[in-house]
Amino acid sequence: QLQASGGGLVQAGGSLRLSCSASGRTFSNYYMGWFRQAPGKEREFVARINWNGVSTYYADSVKDRFTISRDNAKNTVYLQLNSLKPEDTAVYYCAAARGAAQLAKNYDYWGQGTQVTVSS
């Protein structure tokens, strides 16, 4: 129901835009979040956005570099990744929650993930 895309290989300092498209149901009244998981590490919160896009929240590690946004008419959430660093390398997942949440366990729906690799 959630499909993440837009990942790829980019040099440090570069940019990518990830997309998360929903199908089968609408998520316009859900909080949407992005998480990431690097090899050998736990899945970590990256950013979330409320239902109408007015409220956003970021992990300290990505604040001022990443921007989350959404287009409910397209049932799509975006994550703009700027000033990428090698430590941003991970599989990025989008997820939907009924309320504001940073913990993965509080998200009800998950996409399959898209790989972001940042070379130094």
Side-chain angles (χ1 to χ4, degrees), residues 18-112:
L18 308 183
S19 298
C20 175
S21 299
S23 61
R25 67 175 297 149
T26 179
F27 290 96
S28 59
N29 58 341
Y30 280 73
Y31 280 78
M32 298 298 295
W34 285 94
F35 288 76
R36 65 187 182 185
Q37 188 166 19
K41 295 187 177 181
E42 293 188 353
R43 191 169 299 190
E44 66 171 349
F45 170 81
V46 174
R48 64 162 167 82
I49 188 167
N50 77 325
W51 71 274
N52 63 1
V54 170
S55 175
T56 59
Y57 184 80
Y58 298 91
D60 287 343
S61 59
V62 307
K63 199 175 298 183
D64 300 325
R65 298 189 299 120
F66 292 5
T67 302
I68 188 171
S69 61
R70 67 190 299 164
D71 184 340
N72 286 339
K74 296 181 178 180
N75 224 10
T76 301
V77 178
Y78 305 97
L79 186 68
Q80 179 68 40
L81 290 65
N82 295 332
S83 302
L84 281 161
K85 305 174 181 179
E87 53 263 44
D88 294 319
T89 295
V91 177
Y92 283 70
Y93 299 89
C94 60
R98 290 181 174 85
Q102 280 82 256
L103 296 178
K105 67 179 182 179
N106 293 326
Y107 282 76
D108 304 297
Y109 300 93
W110 289 85
Q112 88 291 356

Coordinates of all heavy atoms in Angstrom, one line a residue, residues 18-112:
L18 N 13.2 11.5 -2.3 CA 12.4 10.3 -2.2 C 10.9 10.5 -2.2 O 10.5 11.6 -1.8 CB 12.8 9.6 -0.8 CG 14.3 9.4 -0.5 CD1 14.4 8.6 0.8 CD2 15.0 8.7 -1.7
S19 N 10.2 9.6 -2.8 CA 8.8 9.7 -2.9 C 8.2 8.4 -2.2 O 8.7 7.3 -2.3 CB 8.3 9.7 -4.3 OG 8.8 10.9 -5.0
C20 N 7.0 8.6 -1.6 CA 6.3 7.5 -1.1 C 4.8 7.6 -1.5 O 4.1 8.5 -1.1 CB 6.3 7.6 0.5 SG 5.3 6.4 1.3
S21 N 4.4 6.7 -2.4 CA 3.1 6.8 -3.0 C 2.2 5.7 -2.4 O 2.7 4.6 -2.1 CB 3.2 6.5 -4.5 OG 4.0 7.5 -5.1
A22 N 1.0 6.1 -2.1 CA 0.0 5.2 -1.5 C -1.0 4.7 -2.5 O -1.4 5.4 -3.4 CB -0.7 5.9 -0.3
S23 N -1.3 3.5 -2.3 CA -2.4 2.9 -3.2 C -3.3 2.0 -2.4 O -2.9 1.5 -1.3 CB -1.7 2.1 -4.3 OG -1.0 1.0 -3.8
G24 N -4.5 1.9 -2.8 CA -5.4 1.0 -2.1 C -6.2 1.7 -1.0 O -7.2 1.2 -0.6
R25 N -5.7 2.7 -0.5 CA -6.4 3.5 0.5 C -5.8 4.9 0.6 O -4.7 5.1 0.1 CB -6.3 2.8 1.9 CG -4.9 2.8 2.5 CD -4.9 2.2 3.9 NE -5.7 3.0 4.8 CZ -6.4 2.6 5.8 NH1 -6.4 1.3 6.1 NH2 -7.0 3.4 6.6
T26 N -6.5 5.8 1.2 CA -5.9 7.1 1.4 C -5.3 7.3 2.7 O -5.7 6.7 3.7 CB -7.0 8.2 1.2 OG1 -6.5 9.5 1.4 CG2 -8.1 8.0 2.2
F27 N -4.2 8.0 2.8 CA -3.5 8.3 4.0 C -3.5 9.8 4.3 O -2.7 10.3 5.1 CB -2.0 7.8 3.9 CG -1.9 6.3 3.9 CD1 -1.8 5.6 2.7 CD2 -1.9 5.6 5.1 CE1 -1.7 4.3 2.7 CE2 -1.8 4.2 5.1 CZ -1.7 3.6 3.9
S28 N -4.5 10.5 3.7 CA -4.6 11.9 3.9 C -4.8 12.4 5.3 O -4.5 13.5 5.7 CB -5.6 12.5 3.0 OG -6.9 12.0 3.3
N29 N -5.4 11.5 6.2 CA -5.6 11.9 7.5 C -4.6 11.2 8.5 O -4.8 11.2 9.7 CB -7.1 11.5 7.9 CG -7.4 10.1 7.7 OD1 -6.7 9.4 7.0 ND2 -8.4 9.6 8.4
Y30 N -3.5 10.7 8.0 CA -2.5 10.0 8.7 C -1.3 10.9 8.9 O -1.0 11.7 7.9 CB -2.0 8.7 8.1 CG -2.9 7.5 8.4 CD1 -4.2 7.4 7.8 CD2 -2.5 6.5 9.2 CE1 -5.0 6.3 8.0 CE2 -3.3 5.4 9.5 CZ -4.6 5.3 8.8 OH -5.4 4.3 9.1
Y31 N -0.6 10.8 10.0 CA 0.8 11.3 10.0 C 1.7 10.3 9.1 O 1.5 9.1 9.1 CB 1.4 11.2 11.4 CG 0.9 12.4 12.3 CD1 -0.4 12.4 12.9 CD2 1.8 13.4 12.6 CE1 -0.8 13.4 13.7 CE2 1.4 14.5 13.4 CZ 0.1 14.5 14.0 OH -0.3 15.5 14.8
M32 N 2.6 10.9 8.4 CA 3.5 10.1 7.6 C 4.9 10.4 8.1 O 5.3 11.5 8.4 CB 3.4 10.6 6.1 CG 2.0 10.3 5.5 SD 1.5 8.6 5.5 CE 2.7 7.9 4.4
G33 N 5.7 9.3 8.1 CA 7.0 9.4 8.6 C 8.0 8.7 7.6 O 7.6 7.9 6.8
W34 N 9.3 9.1 7.8 CA 10.4 8.4 7.1 C 11.3 7.9 8.2 O 11.6 8.6 9.2 CB 11.1 9.4 6.2 CG 10.4 9.7 4.9 CD1 9.6 10.8 4.7 CD2 10.4 9.0 3.7 NE1 9.1 10.8 3.4 CE2 9.6 9.7 2.8 CE3 11.1 7.8 3.3 CZ2 9.4 9.2 1.5 CZ3 10.9 7.3 2.0 CH2 10.1 8.0 1.1
F35 N 11.8 6.7 8.0 CA 12.7 6.1 8.8 C 13.9 5.6 7.9 O 13.7 5.5 6.7 CB 12.1 4.8 9.5 CG 11.2 5.2 10.6 CD1 9.9 5.7 10.3 CD2 11.5 5.1 12.0 CE1 9.0 6.0 11.3 CE2 10.6 5.5 13.0 CZ 9.4 5.9 12.6
R36 N 15.0 5.2 8.5 CA 16.1 4.6 7.8 C 16.8 3.6 8.6 O 16.7 3.6 9.8 CB 17.1 5.7 7.3 CG 17.8 6.4 8.4 CD 18.7 7.5 7.9 NE 19.5 8.2 8.9 CZ 20.2 9.3 8.7 NH1 20.3 9.8 7.5 NH2 20.9 9.8 9.7
Q37 N 17.4 2.6 7.9 CA 18.1 1.6 8.6 C 19.4 1.3 7.8 O 19.3 0.9 6.6 CB 17.2 0.3 8.7 CG 17.8 -0.8 9.5 CD 16.8 -1.9 9.9 OE1 15.8 -2.0 9.2 NE2 17.2 -2.6 10.9
A38 N 20.5 1.5 8.5 CA 21.8 1.2 7.9 C 22.2 -0.3 8.3 O 21.7 -0.8 9.3 CB 22.8 2.1 8.5
P39 N 23.1 -0.9 7.5 CA 23.4 -2.3 7.8 C 24.0 -2.4 9.3 O 24.8 -1.6 9.7 CB 24.6 -2.5 6.8 CG 24.3 -1.6 5.7 CD 23.7 -0.4 6.3
G40 N 23.4 -3.4 10.0 CA 23.9 -3.7 11.3 C 23.3 -2.7 12.4 O 23.7 -2.8 13.6
K41 N 22.5 -1.8 12.0 CA 21.9 -0.8 12.9 C 20.4 -1.0 13.0 O 19.8 -1.5 12.1 CB 22.3 0.6 12.5 CG 23.8 0.9 12.6 CD 24.1 2.3 12.3 CE 25.6 2.6 12.5 NZ 25.9 4.1 12.3
E42 N 19.9 -0.4 14.1 CA 18.4 -0.4 14.2 C 17.8 0.7 13.3 O 18.4 1.6 12.9 CB 18.0 -0.2 15.7 CG 18.4 -1.3 16.6 CD 17.9 -1.1 18.0 OE1 17.3 0.0 18.3 OE2 18.1 -2.0 18.8
R43 N 16.5 0.4 13.0 CA 15.8 1.4 12.2 C 15.6 2.7 13.1 O 15.3 2.6 14.2 CB 14.4 0.8 11.8 CG 13.7 1.7 10.8 CD 12.5 0.9 10.3 NE 12.8 -0.3 9.6 CZ 12.0 -1.1 8.9 NH1 10.7 -0.7 8.8 NH2 12.4 -2.2 8.4
E44 N 15.9 3.8 12.4 CA 15.8 5.1 13.2 C 14.9 6.1 12.5 O 14.7 6.1 11.3 CB 17.2 5.7 13.3 CG 17.9 6.2 12.0 CD 19.1 7.0 12.3 OE1 19.4 7.4 13.4 OE2 19.8 7.2 11.3
F45 N 14.3 6.9 13.3 CA 13.4 7.9 12.9 C 14.1 9.0 12.1 O 15.2 9.4 12.5 CB 12.6 8.5 14.1 CG 11.8 9.7 13.8 CD1 10.6 9.7 13.2 CD2 12.4 11.0 14.1 CE1 9.9 10.8 12.9 CE2 11.7 12.1 13.8 CZ 10.4 12.0 13.2
V46 N 13.5 9.5 11.0 CA 14.2 10.6 10.3 C 13.3 11.8 10.3 O 13.8 12.9 10.7 CB 14.4 10.1 8.8 CG1 14.9 11.3 8.0 CG2 15.3 9.0 8.7
A47 N 12.0 11.7 10.0 CA 11.2 12.9 9.9 C 9.7 12.4 9.9 O 9.4 11.3 9.5 CB 11.5 13.7 8.6
R48 N 8.8 13.3 10.3 CA 7.4 13.0 10.2 C 6.7 14.3 9.8 O 7.2 15.4 10.0 CB 6.8 12.4 11.4 CG 6.9 13.4 12.7 CD 5.9 12.8 13.7 NE 6.2 13.5 15.0 CZ 5.7 14.7 15.3 NH1 5.0 15.4 14.4 NH2 5.9 15.2 16.5
I49 N 5.4 14.2 9.3 CA 4.6 15.3 8.9 C 3.2 15.0 9.2 O 2.7 13.9 9.1 CB 4.8 15.6 7.4 CG1 4.1 16.9 6.9 CG2 4.3 14.4 6.5 CD1 4.5 17.3 5.5
N50 N 2.5 16.0 9.7 CA 1.1 15.8 10.1 C 0.2 15.7 8.8 O 0.6 15.9 7.7 CB 0.6 16.8 11.1 CG 0.3 18.2 10.4 OD1 1.0 18.6 9.5 ND2 -0.7 18.8 10.9
W51 N -1.1 15.6 9.0 CA -2.0 15.2 7.9 C -2.1 16.3 6.9 O -2.2 16.1 5.7 CB -3.4 14.9 8.5 CG -4.1 16.1 9.0 CD1 -4.1 16.7 10.3 CD2 -5.0 17.0 8.3 NE1 -4.8 17.8 10.3 CE2 -5.4 18.0 9.2 CE3 -5.5 17.0 7.0 CZ2 -6.3 19.0 8.8 CZ3 -6.4 18.0 6.6 CH2 -6.8 19.0 7.4
N52 N -2.0 17.6 7.3 CA -2.1 18.7 6.3 C -0.8 19.4 6.0 O -0.8 20.3 5.2 CB -3.1 19.7 6.8 CG -2.7 20.4 8.1 OD1 -1.6 20.1 8.6 ND2 -3.5 21.4 8.5
G53 N 0.3 18.8 6.5 CA 1.6 19.3 6.1 C 2.1 20.5 6.9 O 3.2 21.0 6.6
V54 N 1.3 21.0 7.8 CA 1.6 22.2 8.6 C 2.7 21.9 9.6 O 3.6 22.7 9.9 CB 0.4 22.8 9.3 CG1 0.8 23.9 10.2 CG2 -0.6 23.3 8.2
S55 N 2.7 20.7 10.2 CA 3.6 20.4 11.3 C 4.6 19.3 10.8 O 4.2 18.3 10.3 CB 2.8 19.9 12.5 OG 3.7 19.5 13.5
T56 N 5.9 19.6 11.0 CA 6.9 18.6 10.7 C 7.9 18.5 11.9 O 7.9 19.4 12.7 CB 7.7 19.1 9.5 OG1 8.3 20.4 9.7 CG2 6.8 19.1 8.2
Y57 N 8.6 17.4 11.9 CA 9.5 17.1 13.0 C 10.6 16.3 12.4 O 10.4 15.4 11.6 CB 8.8 16.4 14.1 CG 9.7 16.2 15.3 CD1 9.9 17.2 16.3 CD2 10.3 15.0 15.6 CE1 10.7 17.1 17.4 CE2 11.1 14.8 16.7 CZ 11.3 15.8 17.6 OH 12.1 15.6 18.6
Y58 N 11.9 16.6 12.8 CA 13.0 15.9 12.2 C 14.0 15.4 13.3 O 14.1 16.0 14.4 CB 13.8 16.9 11.4 CG 13.1 17.5 10.2 CD1 12.3 18.6 10.3 CD2 13.1 16.8 9.0 CE1 11.6 19.1 9.2 CE2 12.4 17.3 7.9 CZ 11.6 18.5 8.0 OH 10.9 18.9 6.9
A59 N 14.7 14.4 13.0 CA 15.8 13.9 13.9 C 16.9 15.0 13.8 O 17.1 15.6 12.8 CB 16.3 12.6 13.4
D60 N 17.6 15.1 14.9 CA 18.6 16.1 14.9 C 19.7 15.9 13.8 O 20.3 16.9 13.3 CB 19.3 16.1 16.3 CG 18.4 16.7 17.4 OD1 17.5 17.4 17.1 OD2 18.7 16.5 18.6
S61 N 19.9 14.6 13.5 CA 20.9 14.3 12.5 C 20.6 14.8 11.1 O 21.5 14.9 10.3 CB 21.2 12.8 12.5 OG 20.0 12.1 12.2
V62 N 19.4 15.1 10.8 CA 19.0 15.5 9.5 C 18.4 16.9 9.4 O 18.1 17.4 8.3 CB 18.0 14.5 8.8 CG1 18.6 13.1 8.9 CG2 16.7 14.5 9.5
K63 N 18.2 17.5 10.6 CA 17.6 18.8 10.6 C 18.4 19.8 9.8 O 19.6 19.8 9.8 CB 17.5 19.3 12.1 CG 16.5 20.4 12.3 CD 16.4 20.6 13.8 CE 15.9 19.4 14.6 NZ 15.7 19.7 16.0
D64 N 17.7 20.6 9.0 CA 18.3 21.6 8.2 C 18.9 21.1 6.9 O 19.4 21.8 6.1 CB 19.3 22.5 8.9 CG 18.8 23.2 10.1 OD1 17.6 23.6 10.0 OD2 19.5 23.3 11.1
R65 N 18.9 19.7 6.7 CA 19.3 19.1 5.5 C 18.2 18.4 4.7 O 18.2 18.4 3.5 CB 20.5 18.1 5.8 CG 21.7 18.8 6.4 CD 22.9 17.8 6.5 NE 22.6 16.6 7.2 CZ 22.6 15.3 6.8 NH1 22.9 15.1 5.5 NH2 22.3 14.3 7.6
F66 N 17.3 17.8 5.5 CA 16.2 17.1 4.9 C 14.9 17.8 5.0 O 14.7 18.5 6.0 CB 16.1 15.7 5.5 CG 17.2 14.7 5.3 CD1 18.3 15.1 4.6 CD2 17.1 13.4 5.7 CE1 19.4 14.2 4.4 CE2 18.1 12.5 5.5 CZ 19.3 12.9 4.9
T67 N 14.0 17.7 4.1 CA 12.7 18.3 4.2 C 11.6 17.3 3.8 O 11.7 16.7 2.7 CB 12.6 19.5 3.2 OG1 13.7 20.5 3.6 CG2 11.3 20.2 3.4
I68 N 10.7 17.2 4.7 CA 9.5 16.3 4.4 C 8.3 17.1 4.0 O 8.1 18.2 4.5 CB 9.2 15.4 5.6 CG1 8.1 14.4 5.3 CG2 8.7 16.3 6.8 CD1 7.9 13.4 6.4
S69 N 7.6 16.6 3.0 CA 6.4 17.3 2.5 C 5.4 16.3 2.0 O 5.8 15.1 1.9 CB 6.8 18.3 1.4 OG 7.4 17.6 0.3
R70 N 4.2 16.8 1.7 CA 3.2 15.8 1.2 C 2.3 16.5 0.3 O 2.1 17.7 0.4 CB 2.4 15.2 2.4 CG 1.6 16.1 3.2 CD 1.0 15.5 4.4 NE 0.2 14.3 4.2 CZ -0.1 13.4 5.1 NH1 0.3 13.5 6.3 NH2 -0.9 12.3 4.7
D71 N 1.7 15.7 -0.6 CA 0.7 16.2 -1.5 C -0.5 15.2 -1.4 O -0.5 14.1 -2.0 CB 1.2 16.2 -3.0 CG 0.3 16.8 -4.0 OD1 -1.0 16.8 -3.7 OD2 0.7 17.2 -5.1
N72 N -1.5 15.6 -0.6 CA -2.6 14.6 -0.4 C -3.4 14.4 -1.7 O -4.0 13.3 -1.8 CB -3.5 15.2 0.7 CG -2.8 15.1 2.1 OD1 -1.9 14.2 2.3 ND2 -3.3 15.9 3.0
A73 N -3.4 15.3 -2.6 CA -4.2 15.1 -3.8 C -3.5 14.0 -4.6 O -4.2 13.3 -5.4 CB -4.2 16.4 -4.6
K74 N -2.2 13.8 -4.5 CA -1.5 12.7 -5.1 C -1.3 11.5 -4.2 O -0.6 10.5 -4.7 CB -0.2 13.2 -5.7 CG -0.3 14.3 -6.8 CD 1.0 14.7 -7.3 CE 0.9 15.8 -8.4 NZ 2.2 16.2 -8.9
N75 N -1.7 11.6 -3.0 CA -1.5 10.5 -2.0 C 0.0 10.2 -1.9 O 0.4 9.0 -1.9 CB -2.3 9.3 -2.4 CG -3.0 8.7 -1.2 OD1 -3.1 9.3 -0.1 ND2 -3.6 7.5 -1.4
T76 N 0.8 11.2 -1.9 CA 2.3 11.0 -1.9 C 3.0 11.9 -0.9 O 2.6 13.0 -0.7 CB 2.8 11.4 -3.3 OG1 2.2 10.5 -4.3 CG2 4.3 11.1 -3.4
V77 N 4.0 11.3 -0.3 CA 4.8 12.0 0.7 C 6.3 12.1 0.1 O 6.7 11.1 -0.6 CB 4.8 11.3 2.0 CG1 5.8 12.0 3.0 CG2 3.4 11.3 2.6
Y78 N 6.9 13.1 0.3 CA 8.3 13.3 -0.2 C 9.3 13.5 0.9 O 9.0 14.0 2.0 CB 8.3 14.5 -1.2 CG 7.3 14.5 -2.3 CD1 6.1 15.1 -2.2 CD2 7.6 13.7 -3.4 CE1 5.2 15.1 -3.2 CE2 6.6 13.7 -4.4 CZ 5.4 14.3 -4.3 OH 4.5 14.3 -5.3
L79 N 10.5 13.2 0.6 CA 11.6 13.5 1.5 C 12.8 14.0 0.6 O 13.3 13.3 -0.1 CB 12.1 12.3 2.3 CG 13.2 12.6 3.4 CD1 12.5 13.5 4.5 CD2 13.7 11.4 4.0
Q80 N 13.0 15.3 0.7 CA 14.1 15.9 0.0 C 15.4 15.8 0.9 O 15.4 16.3 2.0 CB 13.8 17.4 -0.3 CG 14.9 18.2 -1.0 CD 15.1 17.7 -2.4 OE1 14.2 17.4 -3.1 NE2 16.4 17.6 -2.8
L81 N 16.4 15.2 0.3 CA 17.6 15.0 1.0 C 18.7 15.9 0.4 O 19.1 15.7 -0.8 CB 18.1 13.5 0.9 CG 17.3 12.5 1.7 CD1 15.9 12.3 1.2 CD2 18.0 11.1 1.6
N82 N 19.2 16.8 1.1 CA 20.3 17.7 0.6 C 21.5 17.6 1.5 O 21.5 17.0 2.6 CB 19.8 19.2 0.7 CG 18.7 19.5 -0.2 OD1 18.5 18.8 -1.3 ND2 17.8 20.4 0.1
S83 N 22.6 18.0 0.9 CA 23.9 18.0 1.7 C 24.2 16.6 2.3 O 24.5 16.4 3.4 CB 23.9 19.0 2.8 OG 23.7 20.3 2.3
L84 N 24.0 15.6 1.4 CA 24.1 14.2 1.9 C 25.5 13.9 2.4 O 26.5 14.4 1.8 CB 23.7 13.3 0.8 CG 22.1 13.2 0.6 CD1 21.8 12.6 -0.7 CD2 21.6 12.3 1.8
K85 N 25.5 13.0 3.4 CA 26.8 12.6 4.0 C 26.9 11.1 3.9 O 25.8 10.4 3.8 CB 26.9 13.0 5.4 CG 26.7 14.5 5.7 CD 26.6 14.7 7.2 CE 26.4 16.2 7.5 NZ 26.3 16.5 8.9
P86 N 28.1 10.5 3.9 CA 28.2 9.0 3.8 C 27.4 8.3 4.9 O 26.8 7.3 4.7 CB 29.7 8.8 4.0 CG 30.3 10.0 3.4 CD 29.4 11.2 3.8
E87 N 27.3 9.0 6.1 CA 26.5 8.4 7.2 C 25.0 8.4 7.0 O 24.3 7.8 7.8 CB 26.9 9.1 8.5 CG 26.7 10.6 8.5 CD 28.1 11.3 8.3 OE1 28.8 10.8 7.4 OE2 28.3 12.3 9.0
D88 N 24.6 9.0 5.9 CA 23.1 9.0 5.5 C 22.8 7.7 4.8 O 21.6 7.4 4.5 CB 22.7 10.2 4.7 CG 22.8 11.5 5.5 OD1 22.4 11.5 6.6 OD2 23.3 12.5 4.9
T89 N 23.8 6.9 4.4 CA 23.6 5.7 3.7 C 22.8 4.7 4.5 O 23.1 4.4 5.6 CB 25.0 5.0 3.3 OG1 25.7 5.9 2.4 CG2 24.8 3.7 2.6
A90 N 21.7 4.3 3.9 CA 20.7 3.4 4.5 C 19.6 3.1 3.6 O 19.5 3.7 2.5 CB 20.1 4.1 5.8
V91 N 18.8 2.1 4.0 CA 17.5 1.9 3.3 C 16.5 2.8 4.0 O 16.4 2.8 5.2 CB 17.0 0.4 3.4 CG1 15.7 0.3 2.8 CG2 18.1 -0.5 2.8
Y92 N 15.8 3.6 3.2 CA 14.8 4.5 3.7 C 13.4 4.0 3.5 O 13.0 3.5 2.4 CB 14.9 5.9 3.0 CG 16.1 6.7 3.5 CD1 17.4 6.3 3.2 CD2 16.0 7.8 4.2 CE1 18.5 7.0 3.6 CE2 17.1 8.5 4.7 CZ 18.3 8.1 4.4 OH 19.4 8.8 4.9
Y93 N 12.6 4.1 4.6 CA 11.3 3.5 4.6 C 10.3 4.7 4.9 O 10.5 5.5 5.7 CB 11.1 2.5 5.7 CG 12.0 1.3 5.5 CD1 13.3 1.2 6.1 CD2 11.5 0.1 4.9 CE1 14.1 0.1 5.9 CE2 12.3 -1.0 4.7 CZ 13.6 -1.0 5.3 OH 14.4 -2.1 5.1
C94 N 9.1 4.6 4.3 CA 8.0 5.5 4.6 C 7.0 4.7 5.4 O 6.9 3.5 5.3 CB 7.4 6.2 3.4 SG 6.7 5.0 2.2
A95 N 6.3 5.4 6.3 CA 5.3 4.7 7.1 C 4.2 5.7 7.5 O 4.3 6.9 7.4 CB 6.0 4.2 8.4
A96 N 3.1 5.1 7.9 CA 1.9 5.9 8.2 C 1.5 5.6 9.7 O 1.4 4.4 10.1 CB 0.8 5.6 7.3
A97 N 1.1 6.6 10.4 CA 0.6 6.5 11.8 C -0.6 7.3 12.0 O -0.8 8.3 11.4 CB 1.7 6.9 12.7
R98 N -1.4 6.9 13.0 CA -2.6 7.6 13.2 C -2.4 8.8 14.1 O -3.3 9.7 14.2 CB -3.7 6.7 13.9 CG -4.2 5.6 13.0 CD -5.2 4.7 13.7 NE -5.8 3.8 12.8 CZ -5.3 2.6 12.4 NH1 -4.2 2.2 12.9 NH2 -5.9 1.8 11.6
G99 N -1.2 8.9 14.7 CA -0.9 10.1 15.5 C 0.5 10.4 15.4 O 1.3 9.7 14.7
A100 N 0.9 11.6 16.0 CA 2.3 12.0 16.0 C 3.2 11.0 16.7 O 2.9 10.6 17.8 CB 2.5 13.3 16.7
A101 N 4.2 10.5 16.0 CA 5.1 9.4 16.6 C 6.5 9.5 16.0 O 6.7 9.8 14.9 CB 4.4 8.1 16.3
Q102 N 7.4 9.1 16.9 CA 8.8 8.9 16.4 C 9.2 7.5 16.5 O 10.3 7.1 15.9 CB 9.8 9.8 17.2 CG 9.8 11.3 16.8 CD 8.7 12.0 17.4 OE1 7.7 12.4 16.7 NE2 8.8 12.3 18.7
L103 N 8.5 6.7 17.3 CA 8.9 5.3 17.4 C 8.3 4.4 16.3 O 7.1 4.5 16.0 CB 8.4 4.7 18.8 CG 9.0 5.4 20.0 CD1 8.4 4.8 21.3 CD2 10.5 5.2 20.0
A104 N 9.1 3.5 15.8 CA 8.6 2.7 14.6 C 7.4 1.9 15.0 O 6.5 1.6 14.2 CB 9.8 1.8 14.1
K105 N 7.4 1.4 16.3 CA 6.3 0.6 16.7 C 4.9 1.2 16.6 O 3.9 0.6 16.7 CB 6.5 0.0 18.1 CG 6.5 1.1 19.2 CD 6.7 0.5 20.6 CE 6.6 1.6 21.7 NZ 6.8 1.0 23.0
N106 N 4.9 2.5 16.6 CA 3.6 3.3 16.6 C 3.1 3.6 15.1 O 2.1 4.2 15.0 CB 3.8 4.6 17.3 CG 4.0 4.3 18.8 OD1 3.4 3.4 19.4 ND2 4.8 5.2 19.4
Y107 N 3.9 3.1 14.2 CA 3.4 3.2 12.8 C 2.7 2.0 12.3 O 3.2 0.8 12.6 CB 4.6 3.6 11.9 CG 5.0 5.0 12.0 CD1 5.7 5.5 13.1 CD2 4.7 5.9 11.0 CE1 6.0 6.8 13.3 CE2 5.0 7.3 11.1 CZ 5.7 7.7 12.3 OH 6.0 9.0 12.4
D108 N 1.6 2.1 11.6 CA 0.8 1.0 11.3 C 1.0 0.4 9.9 O 0.7 -0.7 9.6 CB -0.7 1.5 11.3 CG -1.0 2.1 12.7 OD1 -1.0 1.3 13.7 OD2 -1.4 3.3 12.8
Y109 N 1.5 1.3 9.0 CA 1.7 0.8 7.6 C 3.1 1.2 7.2 O 3.6 2.3 7.5 CB 0.7 1.5 6.6 CG -0.8 1.2 7.0 CD1 -1.5 2.0 7.8 CD2 -1.4 0.0 6.5 CE1 -2.8 1.7 8.1 CE2 -2.7 -0.3 6.8 CZ -3.4 0.6 7.6 OH -4.7 0.3 7.9
W110 N 3.7 0.3 6.4 CA 5.1 0.5 6.0 C 5.3 0.3 4.5 O 4.7 -0.7 4.0 CB 6.0 -0.4 6.8 CG 6.2 0.0 8.2 CD1 5.4 -0.4 9.2 CD2 7.2 0.8 8.8 NE1 5.8 0.2 10.4 CE2 7.0 0.9 10.1 CE3 8.3 1.4 8.2 CZ2 7.8 1.6 11.0 CZ3 9.1 2.2 9.1 CH2 8.9 2.3 10.5
G111 N 6.2 1.0 3.9 CA 6.6 0.8 2.5 C 7.7 -0.2 2.5 O 8.3 -0.6 3.6
Q112 N 8.2 -0.6 1.4 CA 9.2 -1.6 1.2 C 10.6 -1.1 1.3 O 11.5 -1.9 1.5 CB 9.0 -2.4 -0.1 CG 9.8 -1.8 -1.3 CD 9.2 -0.5 -1.7 OE1 8.2 0.0 -1.2 NE2 9.8 0.1 -2.7

